[in-house]
Amino acid sequence: MQELDLVLTLVEGMSVLVVITYLLTRSQLYAAIIDQRFTLKNRIMILLIGGVFSVYGTLAGMHYHDAILSVRDIGPGFAGLVAGPWVGLGAGIIGGLFRYSQGGFMALGGTLGPMAAGLIWGAVWLRRRGRHVSPLEAVLLAVLVEAVRACFDLYFADPLDQTVHVLAVSVIPIMIANAAGMAIFVLMLQNVQHERAVLAAQGRLEGELSVARRIQRSGLPAGSLSWPEMQVAGRLLPALEVGGDFYDFFPVGDDRVFVTVGDVSGKGVPAALFMAMTASLIRSEAVPAASPAQVLAEVNRHLCRNNEAMMFVTVFCGVVTISTGRITYASAGHLPPCLLDRTGTVAPLACSRAPPLGIRETTVYLDQEALLPAGSTLLVYTDGVTEAERADGEFFSLQQLCTVLSALTGRTAEEVVSTVFETVATYQGGLPQSDDITLCAISRPVAAQ
């Protein structure tokens, strides 16, 4: 017999057991093992699997001088390591009895070896209270188990000189094969545990993000506002579970409504937290006596004092007089809104240039005024609309937004928002959003004149 043939035979048998073990890692039984949920039924299942592994190891071994050289100890070692001493011993008894039935002058040592393997690996499980060993520890323990098995062979086998000859040829290859098999098995255990931990963390994160999204959406206006002279409506669709865009509108006095749209730098949870703080500050500062520029200045001071993350937010604020359509507004670096008149002409609302909130505490913002005539619509939006991308990389663009808007004269604010949203979604063709999309429309019907 050539040592190379023995090594190849042992590696082949070990590889088959490793592949089968990998398939077992995807089973419910293995999930119970990882979670330390041991019942009599699954312990018996592990015992039987380890025993079958040991039987296979004997069958796949090499016959040499009336001895069977194999990796039969891996099965009981697997059973003992994952379920304890008596499970490992039970698997070893199955494998050992089968080896004994095959006969030979080394049969008794070959019978006791799997039992010892199951007990030793089970003692490790008991000592560690189910915590798994490292790959290096697995190699050392596998070497120890094979040394014990070799001692059994030397003690019980007869004739001794033939036993020594067989061991001289086989001990090192068998040690290497069993050590490699147990090390790979331990690595699989660690990988499965890591995978389950990652999946559990993802599940918790997804659950938390889902709650965060509901909380974020609950902070938006519950619906549109409507008066005979004016309607206000908005919609937001974050690119991720939570986003950094926001919009808000609410009455400030009997004949005025405050409207704001903002876009925080970045996306995801950090942007959402900064957005929530900004929207809350705007609400608290938007008192009837404060102009939009004053609101932006106060909010900017708060954000600059507590902005270690160096984030910023563009914001448009406006106060509209419902009865007349007069709007006083201020912009902190936000995109100019689009004003649609009753003839279908769309033009940007003139906005003074000012930096976003959160950059410089001493920034001064300017109030401006305009008139929203009867039959007109003012559309405030974020760059997620104009930068919506289709498959060929082309943006939706301001030009297309104006084209869509020009066909919406006489529509309500809700109709304008819905139509633009649907048009942008169709343009993207089902591609994932690259940015949050937010719209807020203020419409004045022709009857308001």
Side-chain angles (χ1 to χ4, degrees), residues 252-292:
V252 281
D254 295 334
D255 192 37
R256 297 193 304 163
V257 61
F258 189 94
V259 178
T260 183
V261 173
D263 184 359
V264 176
S265 58
K267 303 180 186 68
V269 174
L273 292 174
F274 200 76
M275 175 278 292
M277 181 167 60
T278 303
S280 177
L281 287 170
I282 290 175
R283 272 251 176 188
S284 65
E285 296 294 338
V287 295
S291 72

Side-chain angles (χ1 to χ4, degrees), residues 28 42 60 98 106 142 238 246-247 269 278 295 311 347 393 396 403 424 426:
Q28 291 184 349
N42 61 34
F98 180 79
M106 297 177 70
F246 67 90
Y247 73 91
V269 174
T278 303
V295 171
M311 300 186 76
F396 185 71
T403 300
V424 171
T426 301

Side-chain angles (χ1 to χ4, degrees), residues 283-305:
R283 272 251 176 188
S284 65
E285 296 294 338
V287 295
S291 72
Q294 291 171 331
V295 171
L296 291 180
E298 286 300 316
V299 173
N300 180 58
R301 277 191 283 273
H302 285 294
L303 293 179
C304 288
R305 292 168 186 166

Side-chain angles (χ1 to χ4, degrees), residues 54 72-73 76 92 96 107-120 145-146 148-150 152-153:
S54 186
R72 71 179 69 91
D73 294 346
L108 186 55
T111 301
L112 296 176
M115 299 179 192
L119 280 174
I120 292 172
V145 168
E146 291 314 304
V148 170
R149 193 266 310 165
F152 286 147
D153 286 333

